[in-house]
Amino acid sequence: LTERGKRIPLDNSPLQIFVKAKKKINDIFGEIEEYVKDTVDYMHEVEKDGKIVNSDQVKNTEEYVGKVHSIRDVLQRDHMKVAFFGRTSNGKSSVINAMLRDKILPSGIGHTTNCFLQVEGSPSDEPYLVLEGSEEHCAVESVGQLAHALCKEKLNESSLVKVYWPKNRCLLLRDDVVFVDSPGVDVTPNLDEWIDKHCLDADVFVLVANAESTLMVTEKNFFHKVSTKLSKPNIFILNNRWDASASEPEFLDQVRKQHQERAVDFLVKELKVCTPREAEERIFFISAKEVLQARMSEGKPISVPLTEGFQTRYFEFQDFEKKFEECISKSAVRTKFEQHSQRGKYIANELRDILEGIYSDALKLKEEKLAERKELNDKINYTEQQLMVVTQEMKKKIHSMVEDVEQRVSKALSE
Ligand code: GDP
């Protein structure tokens, strides 16, 4: 149960793929950091000797400490990012709120999102927002306050306001999913700036379309631009306001089929971002408003009568959430961690090469010393032998001299 007594599903979400991978790669980089530090300490020791390692080599190795540290920094902040696009009032904010199971973003008439809004989890218990270019934490107690704070500021439509929402109030935020709501694609001439600023690191894009009309050129254009800058972006299409179809049940299947075909064509033939089979898993017919209402009133008696087909639409929303979680989690692991793991491998290999270099230099030095010692030994042995020979000869000479003297003396004595 959350603080507000809401039920949270058990933790078997596909987001755990990312969460676990993140923990693992962070642990591995922790070990790499230890390894680098040990290597530097060891090199300092060896440097004292002054023969095997020079100060440049030590300096080079020391640089790895900083490199590994900054990778660890980035890794700790890595998250999965989903960005929502669509025309004004198609229900982008409502979809985000439904997924977050709370009215976090202002939605509805008069609350048009006029800048980029990012919702991410925060460890603090109180929500707050931070405006672009500012460090100040502005407390927000309610959606009304948030809307007010946003209207009060004169914000550029490309600017970003970050909403920090307590992680303990929402499972998706706890698991490092960051949501980005955008102004309607119909209001801006700055699509390029939008993409460069907010989309290049997004793992998943959700196009919130209005099921009451067909996909518009402005919506399509935006995604054409995105797919020129990113290779095969992951795009989901939500046909929102599908509850409106309940009022015309006789056309329901026909309208759905038509929307489905157009959306599949858009993803497969126009954008070429997926296969027809994959596209089937990317297009959903939902009603964000209904899901949000249902989730907000969990545990309370239902106040609004349910529209025909609510249950089916609710299940379809849940199906979307599951497919979305699988997609974002796998994609983020690939895009966020693959490069880092290559880098980690590279650094570990470099360090091994450095240490192996030191080892082989040390071996060489040892062999040289041994060879020097052998040469010296040989010289000593030779000198010793020479000395022996000389000594023997001297001995012999002295001996014969003594004998000679003795003979002479005894001869002289006898005479
Ligand atoms: P945004 O501008 O794309 O963020 O759209 P909002 O989320 O602010 O929604 C605009 C209006 O449409 C609000 O009044 C919502 O209550 C309403 N709305 C959103 N989703 C649905 C839906 O699925 N069905 C119906 N009937 N209304 C919806």
Side-chain angles (χ1 to χ4, degrees), residues 52 357-371:
I52 303 175
I358 296 177
Y359 179 66
S360 73
D361 286 350
L363 269 187
K364 237 189 260 162
L365 198 70
K366 188 177 161 193
E367 273 162 19
E368 274 168 24
K369 292 267 178 221
L370 279 178

Side-chain angles (χ1 to χ4, degrees), residues 26 46 135 137 203-204 213 223 270 286-287 295 331 384 394 406:
N26 270 298
V46 181
E135 298 275 302
H137 291 193
D203 300 292
V204 166
S213 66
F223 283 95
E270 284 190 45
I286 53 122
S287 166
R295 287 181 173 174
S331 159
E384 261 177 15
M394 289 285 281
E406 266 178 8

Side-chain angles (χ1 to χ4, degrees), residues 87-94 107-108 240-241 243 287-289:
R87 271 179 311 131
T88 317
S89 294
N90 277 5
K92 297 178 291 296
S93 313
S94 305
S107 77
N240 192 34
R241 296 170 169 268
D243 52 320
S287 166
K289 189 176 171 180

Side-chain angles (χ1 to χ4, degrees), residues 86-97 105-109 111-113 181-184 208 212 239-244 286-291:
R87 271 179 311 131
T88 317
S89 294
N90 277 5
K92 297 178 291 296
S93 313
S94 305
V95 172
I96 297 177
N97 286 340
L105 297 181
S107 77
I109 300 155
H111 288 149
T112 314
T113 315
D181 193 6
S182 61
V208 181
E212 291 167 289
N239 294 286
N240 192 34
R241 296 170 169 268
W242 191 231
D243 52 320
I286 53 122
S287 166
K289 189 176 171 180
E290 281 179 341
V291 174

Side-chain angles (χ1 to χ4, degrees), residues 214-231:
T214 46
L215 278 183
M216 297 279 170
V217 179
T218 39
E219 289 165 323
K220 286 185 164 190
N221 272 349
F222 175 74
F223 283 95
H224 274 291
K225 265 191 189 297
V226 169
S227 60
T228 57
K229 298 206 182 199
L230 288 169
S231 86

Side-chain angles (χ1 to χ4, degrees), residues 231-388:
S231 86
K232 297 222 172 185
N234 299 306
I235 303 171
F236 283 83
I237 299 180
L238 296 182
N239 294 286
N240 192 34
R241 296 170 169 268
W242 191 231
D243 52 320
S245 66
S247 58
E248 294 171 62
E250 62 277 26
F251 300 118
L252 192 107
D253 290 339
Q254 197 189 333
V255 175
R256 183 178 175 127
K257 195 164 164 266
Q258 203 176 50
H259 279 318
Q260 179 80 13
E261 276 170 9
R262 288 190 181 157
V264 171
D265 274 356
F266 177 54
L267 293 180
V268 179
K269 294 189 183 149
E270 284 190 45
L271 296 179
K272 302 190 176 62
V273 290
C274 57
T275 62
R277 248 183 85 187
E278 284 165 343
E280 300 292 329
E281 311 264 273
R282 295 286 172 87
I283 300 159
F284 298 88
F285 292 78
I286 53 122
S287 166
K289 189 176 171 180
E290 281 179 341
V291 174
L292 181 61
Q293 265 170 359
R295 287 181 173 174
M296 294 289 294
S297 60
E298 247 170 42
K300 294 181 215 151
I302 294 167
S303 51
V304 228
L306 296 174
T307 321
E308 180 73 28
F310 160 77
Q311 208 62 49
T312 318
R313 289 188 292 278
Y314 192 89
F315 285 148
E316 190 150 346
F317 193 86
Q318 283 182 320
D319 192 26
F320 153 67
E321 288 178 305
K322 192 166 155 273
K323 304 273 163 48
F324 156 79
E325 289 182 9
E326 273 168 12
C327 175
I328 196 167
S329 182
K330 286 184 187 158
S331 159
V333 167
R334 222 178 14 250
T335 55
K336 308 265 150 71
F337 300 151
E338 193 172 275
Q339 229 183 357
H340 288 314
S341 61
Q342 299 289 358
R343 196 90 192 100
K345 251 196 227 165
Y346 173 78
I347 293 174
N349 280 338
E350 287 285 291
L351 288 179
R352 199 195 51 207
D353 288 351
I354 292 173
L355 289 174
E356 273 181 1
I358 296 177
Y359 179 66
S360 73
D361 286 350
L363 269 187
K364 237 189 260 162
L365 198 70
K366 188 177 161 193
E367 273 162 19
E368 274 168 24
K369 292 267 178 221
L370 279 178
E372 265 173 34
R373 196 189 288 170
K374 191 170 172 296
E375 206 178 311
L376 204 68
N377 272 345
D378 290 350
K379 268 188 196 156
I380 292 171
N381 286 342
Y382 176 74
T383 322
E384 261 177 15
Q385 275 170 7
Q386 291 299 33
L387 260 172
M388 288 252 288

